[in-house]
Amino acid sequence: MLWDAVRNSLASTLPASEYELWIKPLVCQGDENDAMVLAGPDRFFCAWVEQRYLELIRQKHLAAGGQGRVALRVAGSGAPAAPDERQLRLPGLPRHEARLRSLHPAFTFDQFMVGESNILAQSACKALALNDYTFGRCLFMSSETGLGKSHLTQAVVHQVLRSAPATRLRYLTAQQFSAEMVQGLRTRTMDRFAERYLDDCDMLLLEDVHTLTGKNKTQEELNVVLDSLLKSGRRVILTSSLPPDRISGLDTDFKSRMTSGLLASIQAPAFETRVRIIQHKLAAQNMAVAGELVEYMAEQLTGDIRRMESAVMNVRARCRLRGSPPDLAMIREVLDGFACMPAQLTAEAICQHISSRFRVGREDLCSRSRKRSIVFPRQVAIYLTRKFTGHSLAEIGALYRRDHSTVLHAIRTITQKMAQNTAVREQVDLLSKDLEKRR
């Protein structure tokens, strides 16, 4: 009864979205050592609640007549939840058996805004998470940075861990897979490496496969893994920042294998979806903003969803600093600070612009040529791609058929030349201004 009172008080204090996501799943298991014991579905969930809401729960517990002592634990476990766990681990398995990247607690299906631009990818991910093979057993998702690939992939992991915790999951990036393989080769433990993915894996989720450009040995090993998993009826989800036909440097057989299932491309959200995303993020910050202001933000904030979240955080910060609700002038000030223009430069557009200005073929920029007439434009293109897009070094490298260390070297080279050579600095500045006009 005391927990019911605490929960009702929390429901009236927190935004509905936060209450539904983080408080409602908690179950009171009674009292232990004069503390009210609450159970959450997994360790990461409990760690997030402890970090964000435990102090508020204790205050409400004290106000409801309790002693203000609250303990958190994982449902079905007699031990308190460990808040410092950095990775989710499958219940009942040794620690080294799980292969999961760190999960964001809010990257769930409930928190994903569905629209025409992503409904196919979302539906396929949800089906695979629930062992529904309506869309097949293999999914290849592609999109530019910040449109929800990682959110959907992690939503699958969250769902599987809750509905079928005995599932042997492998969730990692292609670079992590490659590093594991290299370690296996160095230590002569490739048998154990193969066993982890061929025998002890029910579901593989591999992100950023476009970074495997030029890594022939990794492609060969992954091709064997995919062939084994798919032939034995297991589930596979692959993600990439580039669609399959734009990923160069991949073995034909490997590319055919990884695209043998459903191909789902996530596009930038339409206006109506952007409105719902911004409303959702405002509600999570417990902010009430007039509908016309939300629509204005949605008109200006296109493309990368992270920019929407950052804009909302900036609006919230200014409201707190000024002690006043947001108005059109404040939101314009925030968006001007973001330099948010309706159009967004893409890495491909930058590459084409450099190709045109330097009169160098698009294929030459991506070739292995070491001619200065090609190397310098290529380095400038890489530098400007890093400057104007949110792509990682590996993603830029995939576009130019280079590894991340070569991309980093190109950026440092151009930065150094701009500092030492006025002509180079003026040339790069002029190209930057040309690109800014196209945004």
Side-chain angles (χ1 to χ4, degrees), residues 103-120:
L103 301 179
H104 193 300
F107 280 6
T108 62
F109 286 117
D110 290 340
Q111 295 294 301
F112 189 81
M113 296 291 105
V114 182
E116 290 185 8
S117 62
N118 57 33
I119 188 169
L120 177 60

Side-chain angles (χ1 to χ4, degrees), residues 240-433:
S240 167
S241 291
L242 298 170
D245 59 349
R246 285 180 52 200
I247 306 177
S248 57
L250 293 184
D251 176 75
T252 303
D253 188 36
F254 171 62
K255 181 181 286 191
S256 173
R257 186 91 58 203
M258 74 177 187
T259 58
S260 60
L262 178 68
L263 305 182
S265 175
I266 303 176
Q267 305 299 323
F271 173 75
E272 293 78 9
T273 307
R274 298 200 300 273
V275 168
R276 290 194 290 115
I277 291 172
I278 293 171
Q279 288 174 334
H280 178 77
K281 294 188 179 299
L282 288 168
Q285 297 298 328
N286 201 22
M287 293 180 62
V289 178
E292 59 269 21
L293 297 182
V294 173
E295 291 181 359
Y296 178 77
M297 293 177 69
E299 288 173 354
Q300 302 300 314
L301 292 163
T302 61
D304 193 339
I305 296 171
R306 296 191 189 105
R307 295 165 71 229
M308 302 180 199
E309 185 168 7
S310 184
V312 168
M313 295 297 291
N314 275 266
V315 170
R316 177 174 176 266
R318 289 173 189 259
C319 288
R320 287 194 170 187
L321 188 63
R322 298 179 183 180
S324 61
D327 55 21
L328 182 58
M330 177 192 291
I331 290 177
R332 278 179 173 167
E333 185 179 345
V334 169
L335 299 188
D336 287 343
F338 270 75
C340 308
M341 305 299 283
Q344 186 179 25
L345 276 175
T346 65
E348 185 65 31
I350 294 171
C351 182
Q352 290 175 355
H353 183 68
I354 297 301
S355 173
S356 172
R357 292 301 299 267
F358 283 90
R359 296 181 181 178
V360 176
R362 170 72 177 78
E363 283 302 314
D364 290 331
L365 288 177
C366 300
S367 71
R368 311 305 297 181
S369 174
R370 300 299 302 164
K371 294 180 181 178
R372 189 182 185 282
S373 60
I374 294 175
V375 171
F376 180 69
R378 180 193 299 137
Q379 291 177 334
V380 171
I382 289 172
Y383 173 86
L384 293 174
T385 302
R386 182 64 168 173
K387 177 179 178 180
F388 286 106
T389 73
H391 293 311
S392 66
L393 298 179
E395 290 169 340
I396 297 172
L399 181 65
Y400 291 94
R401 303 174 190 170
R402 299 295 189 277
D403 59 29
H404 75 283
S405 61
T406 305
V407 172
L408 185 60
H409 172 73
I411 294 169
R412 287 174 174 170
T413 298
I414 295 300
T415 302
Q416 186 177 15
K417 286 182 177 180
M418 288 175 65
Q420 297 174 348
N421 190 318
T422 303
V424 172
R425 182 173 67 251
E426 290 178 350
Q427 188 176 22
V428 174
D429 286 344
L430 180 61
L431 290 167
S432 296
K433 290 177 181 177

Side-chain angles (χ1 to χ4, degrees), residues 51-71:
Q51 180 184 355
R52 297 296 183 94
Y53 303 106
L54 187 57
E55 185 56 37
L56 178 60
I57 294 174
R58 284 172 176 159
Q59 293 174 8
K60 298 297 185 182
H61 186 249
L62 193 61
Q67 298 183 10
R69 298 184 60 186
V70 180

